[in-house]
Amino acid sequence: MTDTYLPGGRWRLWEQFALRGPGFPADGVLRLAPTGLAEAADKFEAGEQLTGERWTAFAELYADAAVESAHVLQDIARTPAFREAVAWQNRPVLASGIAPFLNWTPSAAGRTSMPRQREELVAHYWQRFCVKNDTIGFFGPVGWGRWDGSAHGVSVDPGTGLTADSTVYWASWAIDALAARLGEDPAARPWVAPRRVPFVRLDGLLVTVPGRRPQTVGAEAAAVLARCDGVRTAHRLAEELPGVDVPAVLDELVAKRWAQWRLEIPASTHPERDLRAWLGQVGDPALRERGTDALDALERGRAAVAAASGAEQVVEALVALEAEFTALTETAAVREKSAGTAPCRAVVYADTRRSATAHLGTAVRDALAPLEPLLSSAGWLTGRLAEAVMAGARGVYEQLAAQGPVDLASFWFACMPVLHGDARRAAGQLQRAFQEHWQAILRPRPGARRVQLTLDQVAGEAAARFAGPGGGWTAARYLSPDVMIAAEGAEAIGRGAFHLVLGELHLASNTLGASLFVHQHPDRAELDALTGRDHPGPRLLPLLPKEHRSRLSARVKYALTRPEDYQVALVDFTADPGRPRSVRSADVAVVERDGELRVVLPDGAGFPAVDVFSHVLTTLAMDLFQVLPEADHTPRVTVDRLVVAREQWRLPAAGAAFAVEKDEARRYVRARRWREEHGLPRYVFVVSPTEPRPFYVDFDSPVYVNILAKALRRLAGKDPEGRITVTEMLPSPEQVWLTDDEGAAYTSELRFVAVDEH
């Protein structure tokens, strides 16, 4: 392995990094900026009345340009790859929006409300496919790269075509739906393995649930509950306990919520394999055949989707699969957005691996040097957050310990007020202190557009202000920065004509351990080896729910778990119950040793108690890293070659008068005046509370100006005090270096993994 360290030797970068980028070339969005239109609009002076002959001539020019853009959008909408991408993203749009748009003949008079909405629909998808570094499907394939200490610049091996591999996966909820349907069959009950709820403790005949008085149970109930391990089926329990009415006892345990007796599929990237394994051990031939036939039918449908090429085939295969799914499960094949679970709404999704790979040399490594104080300050954040949480947790432990031995289940539930109250307040206070430190280090002048510093000017004071141990919990040794290279081609990087741009910095998380990355790597063993180097011994990993709102799903589930690692079920037991080193919280002790709270597992293994809170802490920490506080305007901050903060504005929606202008040509001119008034660049990304995700705006493009205006009107209508956040697009669409085998260039970002060696 090649070691790459930042200055000072504290932070080691993984040899491998992910290469994130869209599946359509960056210059695609520039097609929607008609030549000469912006220049013509800017000839109207601020305050000039938009009337008279000059205005009439411009209005005609605008109308012609708008029709030209409509034709371009139709060309885009006809592109097979675009249509296929939309088919994966939102299939109904092809029929409801794209088809009628393509059947329309653009003209100035014909650009009424509905055609304009369809123009914006296509443009919305197009900006995402061209300039958003998403990771999903072939329009956001996972790429890979590695460091090359013998090279100076950047080299790209484009491979063949856009993607090297593609896999269609089941959404976990879809296989759960089939499992639930099969489990409803009374014939399935004997072959389902009941599970003791993870936070229910059994000690002889005494059952303890956190927050309740212990209850004494009969010998039969205790014997059955002791065997509810998720591995022994009810049929096997009956064999082990002759004379006991096992089904009746299980029904009683379920009614008391001490046990679960339903078919549960472990959380994994391939849940269908676990369902097939369960079917294989079913002793009822008829049930096994029914279940296997149903799963086989769905698997044939998934294979047809994977083999489909082009929008029409993809749509046909998805429709057939969804019809089969609904017939077999009596469940809707698409979940509503309001489900409150993970974002995968369809029964299947696709992830792909990019053909292009990249190698980074010493020029980029050296330019990353300013990351060191940033990473160390992030370590300060996580360390202080852990201290604050564990101070509260210690008080909880002392109260519990005064009453007797403390188990993890009781400790976990008793810490809820700390985790969801005190910890959130502490996180807010820490973020403010963090920003105050960085304000003092960077010293941005009021009204400044640019802050340019050297690493020497920053490093010393940052080290003093963020001194002390970092980390705080095991996962916090990891930081995952997203870094973009702004350069007009790979050759420019070799010449030194480039700068780096820090995107997000993911705290306390190795994001390359997420399933969507791990399963698109050409050699999983390499990632396992890198993990083994970071953690020579076992880790304690809390088991998480299968899905939770927008940040937890099978795609982002941590997948670099090793056999030597322990998994503890706090509330939900989502792992394979047969996996060794998987334990329930009720069976884990919490003790104090040498002034530290530790958890002790049934086999005697011990870990810092803070690791039990790792997911909660990481969730609290993930949004804390922001070097400058929110303000009406914050400058671009650059340290040596690294832009650590892009220029940003927070602007009132109600103050954008152009947004309510009904005439498109006037709206375009006034939008450009509004842009000039605020000093906005041509290319920006906009975040609005009423929009589902950030979107790109090119102020030279009429359609993207219209999209911005609509977003502003929507926000102003919902919240008259609402503000949008506008961030400069950096790198811009012209500053791209990642190419395919045909020479097309793509936006991209490099996702590194940094490991704290202290």
Side-chain angles (χ1 to χ4, degrees):
M1 297 182 185
T2 302
D3 287 334
T4 301
Y5 285 89
L6 295 177
R10 174 176 176 178
W11 296 97
R12 173 173 52 83
L13 300 179
W14 264 24
E15 175 193 23
Q16 307 238 351
F17 53 84
L19 183 63
R20 303 181 71 219
F24 291 79
D27 62 3
V29 288
L30 301 181
R31 297 171 60 188
L32 298 178
T35 303
L37 186 64
E39 291 81 355
D42 292 345
K43 290 179 181 178
F44 293 94
E45 300 291 339
E48 181 179 349
Q49 293 297 311
L50 303 181
T51 57
E53 293 183 4
R54 286 182 61 241
W55 174 253
T56 300
F58 175 80
E60 292 175 355
L61 177 66
Y62 181 92
D64 291 342
V67 172
E68 176 190 342
S69 291
H71 281 294
V72 172
L73 286 163
Q74 286 186 325
D75 290 341
I76 291 168
R78 291 189 189 97
T79 305
F82 174 85
R83 293 171 56 78
E84 186 171 350
V86 173
W88 276 105
Q89 280 288 280
N90 191 354
R91 187 180 71 243
V93 164
L94 288 173
S96 64
I98 305 298
F101 179 57
L102 291 176
N103 289 330
W104 169 65
T105 300
S107 66
R111 292 187 64 255
T112 54
S113 175
M114 188 56 71
R116 290 200 304 270
Q117 290 181 39
R118 290 165 180 159
E119 290 175 6
E120 294 165 14
L121 174 72
V122 175
H124 246 307
Y125 279 109
W126 190 234
Q127 58 91 26
R128 182 180 184 188
F129 297 160
C130 290
V131 294
K132 299 290 289 296
N133 295 322
D134 286 338
T135 305
I136 182 170
F138 71 89
F139 42 96
V142 177
W144 292 96
R146 64 181 69 224
W147 292 100
D148 182 356
S150 64
H152 176 67
V154 173
S155 63
V156 178
D157 178 356
T160 303
L162 177 67
T163 60
D165 194 20
S166 179
T167 306
V168 174
Y169 299 92
W170 285 107
S172 60
W173 70 266
I175 296 300
D176 285 344
L178 178 59
R181 185 64 177 159
L182 295 173
E184 290 172 358
D185 190 331
R189 297 190 84 202
W191 310 107
V192 173
R195 305 181 184 189
R196 173 163 53 98
V197 172
F199 51 82
V200 172
R201 182 159 57 92
L202 176 65
D203 185 6
L205 300 181
L206 201 64
V207 176
T208 304
V209 178
R212 300 180 186 176
R213 291 181 177 275
Q215 294 187 41
T216 301
V217 298
E220 290 186 351
V224 172
L225 185 59
R227 289 167 171 79
C228 288
D229 56 8
V231 176
R232 296 178 176 94
T233 63
H235 177 78
R236 180 176 166 185
L237 291 183
E239 291 180 334
E240 292 183 5
L241 299 170
V244 176
D245 187 349
V246 169
V249 174
L250 284 174
D251 284 339
E252 181 183 354
L253 295 175
V254 170
K256 291 179 177 293
R257 299 184 180 179
W258 293 349
Q260 296 172 337
W261 189 20
R262 60 176 182 264
L263 182 54
E264 293 276 0
I265 303 302
S268 73
T269 305
H270 296 285
E272 73 283 358
R273 297 176 183 174
D274 294 293
L275 179 56
R276 192 174 296 279
W278 176 78
L279 288 166
Q281 58 91 48
V282 167
D284 184 323
L287 173 63
R288 184 171 62 248
E289 183 177 356
R290 288 196 299 274
T292 302
D293 287 349
L295 183 56
D296 286 346
L298 292 181
E299 284 284 73
R300 287 192 294 272
R302 180 177 66 133
V305 172
S309 177
E312 286 69 26
Q313 286 189 17
V314 169
V315 168
E316 182 181 358
L318 285 172
V319 168
L321 173 59
E322 291 172 358
E324 187 77 58
F325 173 83
T326 299
L328 290 170
T329 66
E330 297 185 0
T331 302
V334 178
R335 295 192 297 181
E336 296 296 327
K337 286 185 178 180
S338 60
T341 54
C344 187
R345 298 169 58 220
V347 295
V348 293
Y349 63 92
D351 274 323
T352 61
R353 176 161 51 88
R354 197 177 205 103
S355 294
T357 57
H359 287 78
L360 302 183
T362 55
V364 175
R365 181 201 63 195
D366 294 345
L368 280 175
L371 264 184
E372 195 281 333
L374 293 166
L375 298 182
S376 296
S377 70
W380 177 89
L381 261 179
T382 58
R384 298 304 178 275
L385 179 61
E387 289 175 359
V389 169
M390 292 311 294
R394 176 173 291 279
V396 171
Y397 170 79
E398 290 172 351
Q399 291 178 355
L400 294 175
Q403 304 169 32
V406 180
D407 64 80
L408 178 56
S410 299
F411 179 64
W412 170 261
F413 280 102
C415 282
M416 287 298 104
V418 174
L419 298 175
H420 298 289
D422 297 347
R424 292 184 184 279
R425 287 187 288 275
Q429 293 168 359
L430 280 168
Q431 185 179 53
R432 288 190 290 274
F434 178 80
Q435 291 171 342
E436 288 171 2
H437 283 316
W438 274 113
Q439 283 274 76
I441 295 167
L442 301 174
R443 297 183 177 87
R445 298 186 310 277
R449 298 286 303 271
R450 301 287 183 267
V451 175
Q452 178 73 58
L453 300 168
T454 66
L455 180 56
D456 288 341
Q457 291 174 302
V458 170
E461 190 167 358
R465 288 180 173 272
F466 298 111
W473 62 99
T474 299
R477 288 185 61 213
Y478 285 125
L479 296 172
S480 299
D482 292 333
V483 176
M484 293 162 282
I485 305 177
E488 295 180 357
E491 301 80 5
I493 301 172
R495 298 194 309 270
F498 74 96
H499 57 268
L500 306 181
V501 181
L502 178 65
E504 290 186 280
L505 177 55
H506 306 271
L507 271 60
S509 176
N510 173 5
T511 56
L512 296 193
S515 175
L516 70 96
F517 289 109
V518 172
H519 288 90
Q520 296 309 315
H521 193 279
D523 186 357
R524 156 74 184 264
E526 291 187 352
L527 301 182
D528 288 328
L530 290 166
T531 304
R533 176 176 181 182
D534 302 337
H535 305 284
R539 295 170 293 173
L540 180 66
L541 305 174
L543 282 172
L544 305 177
K546 286 186 179 181
E547 296 184 339
H548 187 260
R549 297 190 179 96
S550 63
R551 286 177 167 172
L552 193 59
S553 70
R555 289 188 76 237
V556 299
K557 177 181 179 292
Y558 186 74
L560 289 177
T561 304
R562 306 162 301 166
E564 61 264 37
D565 293 327
Y566 289 87
Q567 293 183 303
V568 58
L570 298 165
V571 178
D572 301 292
F573 203 123
T574 53
D576 179 357
R579 178 192 181 275
R581 299 197 170 190
S582 296
V583 298
R584 294 166 180 78
S585 57
D587 301 331
V588 176
V590 183
V591 300
E592 183 176 4
R593 290 180 180 169
D594 299 325
E596 179 188 38
L597 291 184
R598 294 183 64 81
V599 293
V600 180
L601 279 55
D603 67 356
F607 297 90
V610 68
D611 281 353
V612 172
F613 303 132
S614 60
H615 180 68
V616 175
L617 288 167
T618 296
T619 302
L620 284 170
M622 65 173 55
D623 294 325
L624 296 183
F625 188 89
Q626 186 177 333
V627 296
L628 298 176
E630 284 189 349
D632 291 349
H633 170 261
T634 54
R636 180 195 297 178
V637 179
T638 306
V639 180
D640 288 350
R641 286 183 182 269
L642 177 64
V643 176
V644 302
R646 286 166 286 185
E647 192 173 11
Q648 191 172 89
W649 299 258
R650 293 184 71 248
L651 303 173
F658 78 90
V660 296
E661 170 62 60
K662 295 187 180 301
D663 181 79
E664 275 192 295
R666 289 185 171 85
R667 181 191 304 156
Y668 181 75
V669 171
R670 288 171 176 163
R672 295 189 61 77
R673 290 177 177 174
W674 179 80
R675 171 205 163 210
E676 184 69 24
E677 174 189 346
H678 293 289
L680 306 179
R682 173 181 171 181
Y683 308 112
V684 298
F685 280 108
V686 177
V687 174
S688 170
T690 58
E691 305 305 311
R693 56 178 61 89
F695 58 94
Y696 158 91
V697 173
D698 175 359
F699 282 100
D700 284 12
S701 166
V703 68
Y704 286 121
V705 166
N706 287 341
I707 288 172
L708 172 61
K710 182 174 289 186
L712 288 166
R713 292 197 301 271
R714 187 179 294 118
L715 176 56
K718 182 178 181 180
D719 178 8
E721 303 299 319
R723 288 175 175 259
I724 61 169
T725 301
V726 180
T727 305
E728 62 172 327
M729 183 183 184
L730 190 69
S732 70
E734 300 98 343
Q735 297 172 313
V736 289
W737 56 272
L738 176 64
T739 54
D740 63 16
D741 56 346
E742 296 181 354
Y746 300 78
T747 67
S748 62
E749 69 183 23
L750 310 170
R751 177 163 293 181
F752 297 110
V753 175
V755 186
D756 191 345
E757 295 278 77
H758 283 192

